[in-house]
Amino acid sequence: MDFIRYAESAAQLLNADLSDVDGLVRHLAGREWLHDQCTDQDCEALRRFAADLRPVFEASDAGDTQAVVDGLNHLLGRHPITPCISDHDPSNLHLHVATRAASVAELLISEALLGLANLVCDLDPTRLGVCSASPCTNVYVDTSPNQSRRYCSDRCSSRANVAAYRARQRAGQL
């Protein structure tokens, strides 16, 4: 299992427009085999999950490791995961979420929680963040070697850097 990919997909899930099935299908680009299974109920379940998961990212961003652990443990209790060893490549055995999930939402929630739990255990509970660029509220997973990520995307980083540069220029003219 590529737990970083699962963790990053958790952040993408929180940043996605899940207001309708079309938004969920857009979020699942590259996973076309799931598109026909998407329902309004999946969207509703994923919106509820995103609302429950967001405080974990906020706690991590604030450096509150206990709240991250408690929040993930609470969600893991509410959404039990069934991992299985994948042998589709016998030379590279790894974990996946069992494909017996009853819905697209259950699959995505399980992948997100398994990825985040592994990331928190293997890297650090403070590797999740909320974009520092105002007014962006997107979340991200920080896999940088020195844990220096502050923005959800290059676009937000550039916008914040340009704004800071212009502010310094204005301050220098006074």
Side-chain angles (χ1 to χ4, degrees), residues 1 15 17 27 29 33 41 63 108 110 115 126-128 131 149 154 156 168 173:
M1 177 192 91
N15 298 335
D17 173 11
H27 171 70
W33 62 92
Q41 291 83 3
L108 297 179
S110 295
T126 58
R127 290 294 186 140
L128 311 174
C131 188
R149 187 167 176 182
D154 289 339
C156 278
R168 286 191 305 273
Q173 292 175 354

Side-chain angles (χ1 to χ4, degrees), residues 53-113:
L53 182 58
R54 184 168 186 84
V56 172
F57 278 81
E58 292 168 349
S60 179
D61 194 56
D64 188 347
T65 59
Q66 190 61 54
V68 172
V69 171
D70 290 346
L72 284 175
N73 279 336
H74 174 74
L75 289 169
L76 285 164
R78 286 185 44 210
H79 304 278
I81 297 170
T82 305
C84 63
I85 298 171
S86 173
D87 62 354
H88 59 85
D89 178 1
S91 66
N92 181 24
L93 297 177
H94 54 280
L95 288 177
H96 275 277
V97 172
T99 56
R100 294 181 299 273
S103 71
V104 171
E106 290 174 350
L107 175 66
L108 297 179
I109 290 168
S110 295
E111 288 176 352
L113 289 174

Side-chain angles (χ1 to χ4, degrees), residues 129-167:
V130 179
C131 188
S132 294
S134 181
C136 185
T137 60
N138 284 346
V139 298
Y140 60 85
V141 173
D142 183 358
T143 57
S144 65
N146 58 357
Q147 198 171 347
S148 60
R149 187 167 176 182
R150 295 179 34 225
Y151 303 102
C152 67
S153 66
D154 289 339
R155 180 179 179 200
C156 278
S157 175
S158 294
R159 188 174 37 217
N161 288 331
V162 168
Y165 172 77
R166 289 181 180 157

